[in-house]
Amino acid sequence: MNQDTICAIATAQGGAIGTIRVSGPEAISITSRIFKPARESKSLSEQKPYTLTFGRIYDEEEIIDEVLVSLFRAPHSYTGEDSTEIACHGSSYILQQVMQLLIKHGCRMAQPGEYTQRAFLNGKMDLSQAEAVADLIASTSAATHRLAISQMRGGFSKELTELRNKLLNFTSMIELELDFSEEDVEFADRSALRKLADEIERVISRLVHSFSIGNAIKNGVPVAIIGETNAGKSTLLNVLLNEDKAIVSDIHGTTRDVIEDTINLGGITFRFIDTAGIRETDDTIESLGIERTFQKLDQAEIVLWMIDASEASSQVSQLAGKILPRCVGKHLIAVFNKSDLIETSQCQSIEHLFAQEFPQEHTDLIFISAKQKVQTDELEQKLISAAHLPTVTQNDIIVTNVRHYEALTKALEAIHRVQSGLDSHISGDFLSQDIRECIFFISDIAGEVTNDMVLQNIFEHFCIGK
Ligand SMILES: Nc1nc2c(c(=O)[nH]1)N(C=O)[C@@H](CNc1ccc(C(=O)N[C@@H](CCC(=O)O)C(=O)O)cc1)CN2
Ligand SMILES: Nc1nc2c(ncn2[C@@H]2O[C@H](COP(=O)(O)OP(=O)(O)OP(=O)(O)O)[C@@H](O)[C@H]2O)c(=O)[nH]1
Ligand SMILES: [K+]
Ligand SMILES: [Mg+2]
């Protein structure tokens, strides 16, 4: 249990009202030291929980503000501790004065996320719910909002907790068998365990696969723009973003590091990733950049392969082997750029050549001029139809968090080992080790076994007052 009483301004600057949150064992007594109720008969500490009390904040004899104080008593508050909230007039001067008074009377400034961290430590919510609180505050669209609400309501945790409890049951029975090792007994019904493992495998792999949707909704559909140097990748990025984000020049190898930004097209958030142009180079920095190009290509859902139309045949033949094998399962769009430099008849022969070289690819193909913004609206339309994100509801359980995704991926590996272990009749102690590992990774999501560094990292990214 945390013994400090903490305070922070909980509202954004500039509003008509500004609220200060106080939480901890001394919350009510410290607040009553600076607050005088308008009705002298009743002191704050005698008030019932969930009441509002009108009165004044005083610094010695001086009135600082007329305020409303709300009262919460442990465990019935956001943090699970005694808490008060002081609703002042929204002046940053007043809020600072009240903060100083609280600190003078024994409070400490809260750290970022400390209220939510206390809610987590006091069992008010599990870690994935706490993370959803941050997502909720950051949500900027109906889809991100729905996903955060669903996670905050605990649908995700509930599903995982049920699975974990079933697994715990089995592993304890298997471990009991080990105590009776001489007697060759089987308390844990292996075929029932196999059924359970299959069910868990289904649930977890569905969750793991949902991450590509969750990630696309939360961080934008990743679209990698790749191709040879000077194909016009950065020019296109700037057109798509409507902003001069990347440096454009006629020097080959201008972009050396990855440049990313998001933009909303037709209600879908896209994350465009401009990359270093691919070419043979002795330059170390540029080579590192090209290495990153391939990493980004692997992470992308949609790949815009940019080809300088005036050099189409050489670019296609040089890069096809490097790019196509890495685009399996992705939506590939071949973007022939600099159409302003070629005749319409040449477009047809390029199209023909492309179809001949890659008869098996169902690649989208488009001619544009990024520089002159010709056909770039059509390219945006192609992107919108390529993204095909499902609409989500508050009941959908979709993984949006990399930490959860990684834990689930490890849990899935462990459950695969359980499945193959059961198939090959491995001994109970190995079996229970794999089950324990699966349990560990499932529990990590709820924060039951999560190490302090990870916890700290999660909460320090919250805002102060949350
Ligand atoms: N003024 C104010 N508004 C706020 C918050 C707050 O702390 N203060 N919240 C902060 O983020 C959110 C609301 N979250 C809250 C969650 C639980 C409890 C609470 O009192 N829980 C009790 C009672 C539950 C019940 O009756 O079902 C409990 O958990 O025992 C309060 C706020 C959004 N708006
Ligand atoms: N004529 C014409 N020139 C273009 C077009 N798009 C880009 N360019 C020019 O091509 C050159 C290279 O453009 P960039 O956008 O820097 O090319 P890049 O693919 O990002 O190049 P690297 O970062 O070096 O890999 C610049 O001089 C651009 O002005 C176009 O549609 N038509
Ligand atoms: K360039
Ligand atoms: Mg560039």
Side-chain angles (χ1 to χ4, degrees):
M1 228 0 207
N2 209 312
Q3 291 309 303
D4 287 352
T5 297
I6 53 175
C7 62
I9 301 169
T11 45
Q13 242 195 36
I17 309 290
T19 295
I20 289 174
R21 266 179 149 177
V22 187
S23 186
E26 304 288 324
I28 298 169
S29 63
I30 294 175
T31 307
S32 34
R33 270 177 242 153
I34 64 167
F35 171 76
K36 212 162 144 199
R39 288 194 207 155
E40 309 251 347
S41 56
K42 231 175 180 184
S43 83
L44 190 64
S45 28
E46 292 164 48
Q47 294 286 8
K48 290 205 184 96
Y50 293 122
T51 52
L52 276 183
T53 308
F54 177 63
R56 289 180 177 142
I57 300 286
Y58 281 88
D59 180 6
E60 312 282 340
E61 299 305 308
E62 191 171 0
I63 300 174
I64 301 298
D65 199 7
E66 284 195 342
V67 302
L68 281 168
V69 174
S70 5
L71 195 82
F72 304 82
R73 289 192 191 275
H76 299 299
S77 68
Y78 180 69
T79 54
E81 305 170 330
D82 277 357
S83 304
T84 65
E85 289 178 358
I86 309 171
C88 309
H89 290 93
S91 129
S92 51
Y93 174 76
I94 292 176
L95 292 170
Q96 290 307 331
Q97 290 300 109
V98 177
M99 284 291 289
Q100 279 179 26
L101 279 172
L102 288 166
I103 290 165
K104 193 165 102 185
H105 287 88
C107 281
R108 158 170 81 67
M109 270 272 257
Q111 285 156 10
E114 200 168 2
Y115 294 90
T116 308
Q117 184 168 26
R118 287 183 176 200
F120 163 66
L121 293 173
N122 293 330
K124 287 276 154 190
M125 55 178 82
D126 72 27
L127 191 56
S128 79
Q129 290 174 301
E131 290 168 307
V133 171
D135 291 346
L136 189 66
I137 294 173
S139 67
T140 53
S141 68
T144 48
H145 170 254
R146 284 190 193 122
L147 291 181
I149 287 278
S150 151
Q151 193 178 316
M152 198 177 72
R153 284 168 63 210
F156 180 42
S157 324
K158 192 166 162 266
E159 185 156 20
L160 292 178
T161 308
E162 278 168 16
L163 295 182
R164 192 210 48 189
N165 290 345
K166 287 184 190 168
L167 275 175
L168 262 177
N169 240 342
F170 261 105
T171 193
S172 37
M173 284 202 280
I174 292 174
E175 281 158 21
L176 200 61
E177 285 169 14
L178 300 177
D179 294 341
F180 291 82
S181 53
E182 286 98 80
E183 295 163 44
D184 196 23
V185 287
E186 236 181 50
F187 295 123
D189 176 353
R190 294 300 191 266
S191 68
L193 178 56
R194 174 74 217 211
K195 254 189 167 162
L196 176 66
D198 293 350
E199 184 200 335
I200 290 172
E201 200 271 341
R202 262 196 312 279
V203 174
I204 298 182
S205 83
R206 175 170 55 72
L207 289 172
V208 165
H209 286 117
S210 76
F211 181 65
S212 71
I213 295 168
N215 181 51
I217 290 173
K218 195 164 147 184
N219 300 317
V221 178
V223 182
I225 309 173
I226 57 158
E228 270 195 4
T229 54
N230 275 8
K233 301 178 294 299
S234 301
T235 308
L236 178 65
L237 177 82
N238 292 346
V239 169
L240 291 167
L241 297 178
N242 231 331
E243 185 192 328
D244 278 339
K245 177 104 183 171
I247 298 172
V248 167
S249 88
D250 58 2
I251 302 168
H252 289 266
T254 301
T255 307
R256 299 184 148 220
D257 208 345
V258 174
I259 303 170
E260 307 192 17
D261 209 347
T262 58
I263 196 148
N264 195 296
L265 300 177
I268 301 168
T269 306
F270 288 90
R271 185 154 46 89
F272 289 110
I273 308 157
D274 180 21
T275 61
I278 303 164
R279 65 163 174 176
E280 294 301 326
T281 175
D282 296 333
D283 185 304
T284 326
I285 308 287
E286 194 181 346
S287 310
L288 290 172
I290 295 173
E291 225 168 86
R292 288 201 180 179
T293 297
F294 286 111
Q295 282 169 13
K296 289 293 167 182
L297 172 56
D298 292 340
Q299 292 164 14
E301 298 228 340
I302 300 176
V303 177
L304 298 182
W305 177 12
M306 278 202 96
I307 301 157
D308 183 335
S310 63
E311 306 177 355
S313 55
S314 71
Q315 294 210 353
V316 168
S317 59
Q318 278 180 39
L319 288 194
K322 284 185 177 164
I323 292 174
L324 290 177
R326 307 179 87 123
C327 289
V328 180
K330 302 181 191 299
H331 193 113
L332 177 63
I333 304 176
V335 182
F336 290 92
N337 188 33
K338 310 195 186 181
S339 65
D340 53 298
L341 298 182
I342 59 166
E343 304 292 328
T344 325
S345 60
Q346 283 176 276
C347 291
Q348 281 154 5
S349 56
I350 290 171
E351 233 169 295
H352 191 70
L353 175 133
F354 202 73
Q356 268 186 333
E357 289 240 13
F358 313 111
Q360 76 282 27
E361 317 289 333
H362 310 280
T363 353
D364 258 345
L365 181 151
I366 189 170
F367 285 85
I368 67 163
S369 168
K371 196 171 181 177
Q372 299 182 355
K373 299 191 189 163
V374 177
Q375 288 278 100
T376 46
D377 289 347
E378 285 72 11
L379 175 59
E380 288 183 3
Q381 285 308 316
K382 273 192 187 296
L383 286 166
I384 292 165
S385 44
H388 65 76
L389 281 179
T391 39
V392 296
T393 73
Q394 294 188 346
N395 295 321
D396 286 328
I397 298 179
I398 290 173
V399 178
T400 61
N401 181 307
V402 188
R403 192 184 73 81
H404 302 169
Y405 172 72
E406 283 171 355
L408 286 165
T409 304
K410 292 194 174 124
L412 189 61
E413 284 165 18
I415 207 71
H416 284 154
R417 287 197 297 276
V418 173
Q419 286 174 314
S420 54
L422 282 166
D423 288 346
S424 57
H425 307 285
I426 58 164
S427 67
D429 47 351
F430 287 125
L431 206 52
S432 100
Q433 197 178 323
D434 289 331
I435 298 176
R436 286 270 172 210
E437 208 158 296
C438 186
I439 293 171
F440 176 87
F441 289 116
I442 292 177
S443 307
D444 193 29
I445 292 168
E448 289 158 43
V449 294
T450 311
N451 77 47
D452 289 349
M453 285 258 287
V454 174
L455 288 179
Q456 193 187 333
N457 180 42
I458 290 170
F459 289 107
E460 75 190 12
H461 287 100
F462 277 62
C463 40
I464 290 186
K466 190 61 235 180

